[in-house]
Amino acid sequence: MKEKLKKNHLKFKFRWEYFLILFIVAEVLIFGGMNPKFLMPRVLFGSFNDFISICIISIFMCFVFITGGIDLQAGSIVGLSSIIIGVTWKTLGISVGTACLIAVIIGCLCGALSGFFVAFTNVQPMVITLGGSFLYSGLAIAVSNMSNTAAYLGISGFPEAFTSFTKKRFFGVIPSQVFIFIALAVIAYIILHRTKYGRQVFLSGINKRAAEFSGINTRLIIMSTYIFSGMAASFAGIIMTSYLGSSKSDFGGDLTMPIITAVILGGTSTLGGKGGVFGTALAAVAIGIMRFGLSMNGISNQYLDIPVGIMLVLVVAASTASKNPKINKFIQNNFNFKQKLNDKLVHK
């Protein structure tokens, strides 16, 4: 029995996802201690309604990061998708379901356009997607001007069938958005980690030239990741429009930094070739709970990006420092608790 215990300890391998789970638990306990209402299941699960967009977009945006890219335009696509739903439904008289389908198609086309320029022109992804952010925000305003409703008021009055599905709570506690997020996360996980396409995404990020020599069309792979990101942004726009019962062109304007932070905090490398859906999903939940917990304890919404920004800087700095051989050797010699525990078990 003792030998078996030693063997299990030796086999134990720390994963970043374990830290994220502990971090989420710590957040719940800390914020719950500061405000007991936070621990109420209805309130805790209901918080997903406030950050579901971050969760949905980040699990597909990690595809982009794994190829070595970055996407700064997802927030703008959220607003564009939302206003397209409102205008096509109210002004053009198209059914809400068809309007949502149009929004998804346009979101994919937006991702495809930016992905094309990134993949086929070799221009820096940051430049392309930053330009796309301004472009799609401008298009959203242009589309909103097609409506008779003032842009700052938004378009409301959607059918109950459209708004009710995001307000439904299973068992009277868990919002439907939680199950939507889980379903999309499972789909993203299967695509990235269990398919040939997913392996091609990783290889394109690890070594683009080697991927091309092995017969992979890296340009199409890279372009497709931006399509996934645009599609996810349009999904977020649909859910946000349904939940709020209003369609506005500025939805998603403050999502860019939390989304990027969630992807990086989830363990995805900014240099490409490394990352995962599970870690990204956990990181998105951690960031969402942090923002919700701070707001419940009296922090103004305009200051919620401060801790997210600090977290982003610390994670990137730690990731960069860990690649330094001297720092890595120092950590291994002084803070390798797992090795010390295994050594004790071996010598007993």
Side-chain angles (χ1 to χ4, degrees):
M1 183 68 183
K2 189 175 179 181
E3 292 298 324
K4 186 177 181 181
L5 183 61
K6 290 180 183 179
K7 190 175 180 182
N8 289 337
H9 274 287
L10 289 169
K11 283 184 176 181
F12 176 77
K13 183 179 179 181
F14 177 80
R15 292 176 60 89
W16 180 247
E17 289 84 355
Y18 301 156
F19 168 78
L20 291 174
I21 293 172
L22 293 175
F23 186 74
I24 292 172
V25 173
E27 283 183 318
V28 172
L29 294 177
I30 292 171
F31 289 129
M34 297 170 65
N35 187 342
K37 290 183 179 179
F38 187 84
L39 294 177
M40 296 173 61
R42 187 175 179 85
V43 174
L44 183 58
F45 283 106
S47 66
F48 275 83
N49 295 326
D50 292 345
F51 56 83
I52 188 67
S53 297
I54 298 173
C55 296
I56 291 175
I57 298 173
S58 62
I59 58 176
F60 285 97
M61 192 182 288
C62 75
F63 290 33
V64 174
F65 275 74
I66 290 171
T67 62
I70 189 172
D71 191 351
L72 304 177
Q73 65 192 19
S76 299
I77 296 177
V78 171
L80 178 60
S81 300
S82 177
I83 199 64
I84 283 174
I85 295 170
V87 170
T88 52
W89 167 73
K90 189 167 187 178
T91 304
L92 302 182
I94 296 175
S95 68
V96 175
T98 305
C100 291
L101 179 60
I102 293 173
V104 172
I105 292 172
I106 291 178
C108 292
L109 289 175
C110 290
L113 178 62
S114 298
F116 172 82
F117 284 110
V118 170
F120 289 90
T121 65
N122 292 322
V123 178
Q124 287 293 326
M126 181 178 291
V127 176
I128 295 295
T129 56
L130 180 61
S133 176
F134 290 116
L135 172 62
Y136 304 138
S137 294
L139 286 176
I141 295 172
V143 172
S144 68
N145 291 334
M146 296 172 59
S147 173
N148 296 326
T149 307
Y152 68 91
L153 292 175
I155 299 171
S156 57
F158 289 99
E160 187 178 351
F162 176 63
T163 59
S164 62
F165 85 96
T166 51
K167 293 182 174 60
K168 184 181 295 184
R169 285 179 180 261
F170 292 87
F171 314 110
V173 175
I174 306 176
S176 58
Q177 283 94 317
V178 174
F179 294 100
I180 293 172
F181 169 51
I182 293 173
L184 290 175
V186 170
I187 292 171
Y189 180 87
I190 293 172
I191 293 173
L192 184 62
H193 298 285
R194 291 291 183 268
T195 65
K196 180 180 178 181
Y197 167 80
R199 293 191 291 273
Q200 292 175 342
V201 170
F202 277 101
L203 187 55
S204 297
I206 294 170
N207 191 321
K208 185 177 177 181
R209 186 179 294 274
E212 290 173 347
F213 281 136
S214 64
I216 298 173
N217 191 332
T218 57
R219 289 186 176 88
L220 287 181
I221 293 295
I222 292 172
M223 181 177 169
S224 68
T225 61
Y226 288 88
I227 295 175
F228 274 119
S229 182
M231 177 194 69
S234 63
F235 285 163
I238 293 170
I239 292 173
M240 189 177 291
T241 302
S242 171
Y243 179 70
L244 298 176
S246 177
S247 171
K248 295 182 70 175
S249 59
D250 60 352
F251 281 166
D254 59 347
L255 295 178
T256 300
M257 189 167 72
I259 292 169
I260 292 176
T261 304
V263 176
I264 296 174
L265 181 63
T268 303
S269 172
T270 55
L271 301 176
K274 178 184 177 183
V277 171
F278 185 48
T280 302
L282 290 173
V285 173
I287 291 173
I289 290 178
M290 181 178 64
R291 288 167 62 92
F292 182 75
L294 290 172
S295 65
M296 274 199 70
N297 286 281
I299 304 299
S300 175
N301 289 338
Q302 61 185 340
Y303 299 124
L304 294 182
D305 283 339
I306 294 177
V308 176
I310 293 173
M311 186 180 292
L312 177 60
V313 172
L314 291 177
V315 171
V316 173
S319 176
T320 304
S322 66
K323 295 179 176 62
N324 186 302
K326 293 182 179 179
I327 295 176
N328 196 32
K329 184 178 180 180
F330 176 80
I331 294 173
Q332 289 293 328
N333 292 336
N334 295 277
F335 300 101
N336 195 344
F337 301 112
K338 173 190 166 185
Q339 186 61 45
K340 292 179 180 178
L341 176 62
N342 288 338
D343 289 342
K344 286 182 180 180
L345 288 170
V346 169
H347 288 96
K348 279 185 180 180

